[in-house]
Amino acid sequence: MYKVIQDLTESRSLACTALFVLFFVILLNPATAVAQPASTDAQVTARVDALLQQMTLEEKIGQITQIGPDPIGPNAPKPEDLIRKGGAGSVLWTIDSARIQKMQEIAMKESRLKIPLLFGYDVIHGYKNVFPVPLAMASSWDPGMVERAQAMAAYEASVSGINWTFGPMVDIARDARWGRIVEGAGEDPYLGAAIARAQVLGFQGPRLGTPGRIVGSVKHFAGYGAADGGRDYDSVYIPEELFRNVYLRPFQAAIDAGVGTVMSAYMDLNDVPASGNQWLLQDVLRRDMGFRGFVISDAWAVASLKVHGYARDPEDAAYRGLTAGVSMDMGSETYLNNVAKLIESGRVPVSVLDQAVREILAIKVRLGLFEHPYGDPAAKEKVLNDPAHRAATRTAAQRSMVLLRNENNALPLRKTIARLAVIGPIADSAEEIKGSWTVEEGPGVSVLEGIRSKLPSAKIEFVRGGDMQRLVPMPWDGAAGRKAAPLMPEAEMAKEVEKAVKAAKGSDTVVLVLGERANMSGEAASRVSLVLPGNQERLLEAVVATGKPVVLVLLNGRPLDITWAAEHVPAILEAWYPGSEGGNAIADILFGDVNPGGKLPVTWPRATGQEPAYYNHNRTQAPEDEPGFTSRFGDFPTAPLYPFGYGLSYTTFAYSNLRLDQKSIPTSGALHVSVDVENKGAVAGDEVVQLYIHQRAGSASRPVRELKGFERVSLAAGEKKTVHFSLGQEELKFWSPQSRAWVVEPEEFDVWAGGDSKAILHSEFRVTQ
Ligand code: BGC
């Protein structure tokens, strides 16, 4: 009935054989022999083996240990002392360049084997120059821009001495309650894969060891985004077909792009913690997906194997982590304190330890760390203050924003406005605008400041209008006895709303900036409700009631319940956390210097209860497009407020002429799809042309639609372009729960092209045996 396409392992081993043959052809050819790259596989292996042979048990355990910058207990050794005796392979959580340099000097000059350290840090969306948060970067649908941004971040990190980033985070997130949705590329495996690939290439360059780049760590392997109920860290239950078809695809893209390391996730995956899950880390990651680097645990995840109720004690946790395939223990020192006992008792064969050490050393060799272990202190000042980096953050922010509503062309605003009110609890913040996970302190531009510099002679009044805060402290704050920031007292908030109303009445236009504080999304920042936090909904309704023209700008890390606003506010701009130059980029769009072209990488719900909400669900026996079944709820529509892929522009686009070069292809074939897109308005603009497919029947029910191609194009007013896509095995295959393999099935397919996941321009084709 279907043709099983080559198992990944098989195709990889063929590829490996081909490479092997090529390697010898090149080696034996006198013409090419001199032009060998510095580190062939064989050279890396030889160097690693030579080192391994000299290593004591203590030094091997050191290599698989990543320590923090401070001792983790009263009797724990100092980091510098550990490094001196070869007791650490890596250090995390320090960005003090002088200390990094000193530690690396100790490793390179004072330790017996002079093995360089990896310095790991979360360089997620910029280093000093902060780019928009990852969910925003994905909203640009511009992998080229994402790659360039991460290359700049890598460069800033590398001169500072950081040679390893804990990114990209590629967890698919279908539930906006989950706080970490902000760190990824949203809900879609195809877009997620494209953004993952771009980030790896940006961080690492075309190969490990590219000057000015660093090694990446794709995370969190795997399935973390499916946390039960959107509650961070909670258990995840994912059937294998969903796991492979959706959750693993961006990881595969990162691996194919050459990512050096993988970070194992915190949570239980189908009842087995991901960081002690041999099936996941060996069978899936290494055998099926072809990963060849090393696995780092998430912070303390090895020690947590006991907390989960999986390992009996720390020694058992070390056993389970190491034998499952976690090569390096992040922060908990569980390997440091227990692996010697496990080797001596024979519970862990030394070959298992050696394998982990080999993988780590190989990455260090490939990175060129033995030759170039240090940052570049002399260049640091210049690189971190490079105006080109700063300018790139502004462009990225402009390209990441999504125009959600623009009734009667309420936007762009005229620059001749005389009196403007800027209202909102974080509208004047140059910090919140950058989002979380910023690394070295650098200046930010608030929305207020951005607007002020755009309209230097207008009268601009700012009012906070109230407050919002997280109500539960961060776990690490709570553990240290620190409380969550207090919310402004109710009476004061009421006064703020009055002030806001007064300011609105005295202005020609209001820019209302609502959303969430940066610490309301990210790790340990799930929310039970997506409503605007604090008194913002009241503020919104009171300001709109003044009858003044209102533009709503959102600063947030997830879709929020803005259903009332979507009916009453004519213009809504989703700015996410747009980074260092965020305020300027917002002003560029509000006043028409830039035409927005971002699109949603997530489905935008009407209410929290619609979550999890995602466009690529199965059709079911009661499809919503058939009469009588318009909603799956008895009390609410099923349709989201805005569909995946949606976003407006100051111009409009028309699609026509969807063409397929063949109506029928074999399972091994590919067809070519093209579509015309035309800018129908009076201004230039960008459109993200999207291609979706649906398989009508097969060995399993397939999603109503799946994104299988996209391209962001710029069109002058009146310009028309033809956009081309290809649909072949890669796009048509899926992992079938019946055959338990990747298949391309001889079936009929729908295809749509357009500007979002509701695209209507349709065609069809057939795949034959
Ligand atoms: C997070 C990771 C992060 C690590 C190191 C953990 O708590 O889950 O995403 O990379 O800390 O900072």
Side-chain angles (χ1 to χ4, degrees), residues 175-179 181 229-231 469-471 515-516 520-521 525-534 536-537 556-562 605-611:
D175 191 332
R177 291 173 296 179
W178 190 52
I181 190 172
R231 294 177 294 267
Q469 297 290 352
R470 314 173 39 107
L471 302 177
E516 300 174 310
M520 290 173 166
S521 17
S526 290
R527 290 190 57 207
V528 74
S529 162
L530 301 177
V531 298
L532 290 164
Q536 294 183 102
E537 190 72 38
N556 50 330
R558 53 157 68 81
L560 293 171
D561 178 346
I562 54 160
R606 288 173 192 275
T608 311
Q610 286 185 327
E611 296 288 346

Side-chain angles (χ1 to χ4, degrees), residues 288-435:
D288 298 348
M289 301 177 77
F291 176 63
R292 292 175 59 225
F294 76 84
V295 175
I296 171 88
S297 74
D298 200 340
W300 261 255
V302 174
S304 297
L305 293 176
K306 176 173 179 316
V307 186
H308 279 268
Y310 180 61
R312 275 174 235 122
D313 50 37
E315 187 177 322
D316 196 31
Y319 167 79
R320 292 183 191 232
L322 194 57
T323 53
V326 172
S327 326
M328 189 183 272
D329 165 16
M330 184 189 284
S332 78
E333 300 187 5
T334 307
Y335 285 176
L336 189 65
N337 298 323
N338 295 283
V339 171
K341 281 178 269 173
L342 290 168
I343 298 285
E344 277 150 19
S345 69
R347 193 170 170 211
V348 170
V350 82
S351 58
V352 171
L353 172 62
D354 283 356
Q355 179 56 22
V357 176
R358 265 201 193 92
E359 290 166 2
I360 294 164
L361 291 177
I363 291 295
K364 292 184 175 183
V365 171
R366 285 181 198 282
L367 261 184
L369 266 196
F370 287 84
E371 295 74 28
H372 305 286
Y374 304 108
D376 189 349
K380 182 173 174 180
E381 177 75 15
K382 188 157 173 271
V383 173
L384 269 56
N385 294 304
D386 184 342
H389 288 203
R390 182 96 190 161
T393 70
R394 184 163 175 168
T395 311
Q398 294 162 347
R399 292 179 77 75
S400 299
M401 292 181 200
V402 186
L403 183 62
L404 296 177
R405 193 161 197 254
N406 197 18
E407 291 302 292
N408 303 320
N409 298 325
L411 285 175
L413 299 172
R414 282 171 296 108
K415 288 187 187 155
T416 48
I417 289 177
R419 297 170 310 163
L420 195 76
V422 177
I423 299 170
I426 56 172
D428 65 334
S429 173
E431 276 310 304
E432 302 277 2
I433 196 122
K434 291 190 271 179

Side-chain angles (χ1 to χ4, degrees), residues 690-739:
Q690 300 162 43
L691 186 79
Y692 293 87
I693 64 164
H694 166 62
Q695 182 177 329
R696 289 184 188 160
S699 65
S701 299
R702 301 300 302 141
V704 281
R705 287 190 183 200
E706 293 177 282
L707 181 73
K708 291 297 174 183
F710 67 87
E711 191 180 336
R712 181 168 174 154
V713 290
S714 300
L715 293 167
E719 192 185 359
K720 190 193 253 190
K721 272 187 185 161
T722 303
V723 178
H724 303 271
F725 300 102
S726 161
L727 290 174
Q729 282 198 5
E730 193 46 40
E731 291 75 26
L732 302 179
K733 75 177 186 192
F734 74 98
W735 199 86
S736 165
Q738 301 246 38
S739 57

Side-chain angles (χ1 to χ4, degrees), residues 92-93 122 166 180 183 219-220 224 263 266 298-299 330 437 523:
L92 88 153
W93 289 331
D122 293 275
F166 303 132
R180 306 197 76 166
E183 293 177 61
K219 69 187 186 185
H220 308 82
Y224 187 21
M263 186 186 293
Y266 278 136
D298 200 340
M330 184 189 284
W437 286 127
E523 187 176 351

Side-chain angles (χ1 to χ4, degrees), residues 151-186:
M152 284 180 184
Y155 191 27
E156 292 186 16
S158 80
V159 294
S160 308
I162 299 291
N163 44 35
W164 185 12
T165 178
F166 303 132
M169 190 282 217
V170 305
D171 293 312
I172 295 288
R174 295 173 150 192
D175 191 332
R177 291 173 296 179
W178 190 52
R180 306 197 76 166
I181 190 172
V182 66
E183 293 177 61

